[in-house]
Amino acid sequence: MSAQPEITRRDPRNRSREIMDVIRSGQSFTVARDGHPIGQPVPLRRRRRFVSRQEFAAMSRTAPAIDIGTFRADQDATADTYPDDPCAR
């Protein structure tokens, strides 16, 4: 027996709204065809959009130091200096 509830391959077509709501809430399913598992629609991990000021400060304390000269050299080596230059085609 599988850990996730099993649905048939026709269920997403016939009960799509119900299934999407359940997936959004964090539940995943095993999709079966002829009694054999063929796939698992799973919820995507939600990413936070913002980091609090305290979290940013804590992360910054442990971040490695940046050498400005090396950083600038890396930018100059990879950046296109004249992105709109019509002669550079």
Side-chain angles (χ1 to χ4, degrees):
M1 185 164 173
S2 66
Q4 292 108 4
E6 193 170 280
I7 58 176
T8 68
R9 66 186 176 109
R10 289 190 177 106
D11 284 334
R13 180 185 65 204
N14 298 332
R15 301 174 24 218
S16 64
R17 182 182 182 104
E18 174 190 348
I19 290 170
M20 294 302 134
D21 289 344
V22 173
I23 290 172
R24 177 180 282 169
S25 73
Q27 177 69 49
S28 60
F29 294 96
T30 298
V31 179
R33 178 176 23 177
D34 300 326
H36 301 288
I38 60 171
Q40 293 180 332
V42 295
L44 295 176
R45 263 185 39 204
R46 293 183 185 228
R47 294 188 314 164
R48 292 188 324 178
R49 294 184 121 180
F50 300 101
V51 176
S52 72
R53 185 176 293 205
Q54 292 80 13
E55 287 178 281
F56 180 77
M59 289 186 290
S60 297
R61 281 192 289 274
T62 60
I66 296 175
D67 176 43
I68 299 299
T70 305
F71 178 73
R72 182 59 190 203
D74 288 345
Q75 280 187 322
D76 290 340
T78 58
D80 188 2
T81 350
Y82 303 103
D84 297 328
D85 186 4
C87 299
R89 295 178 191 207

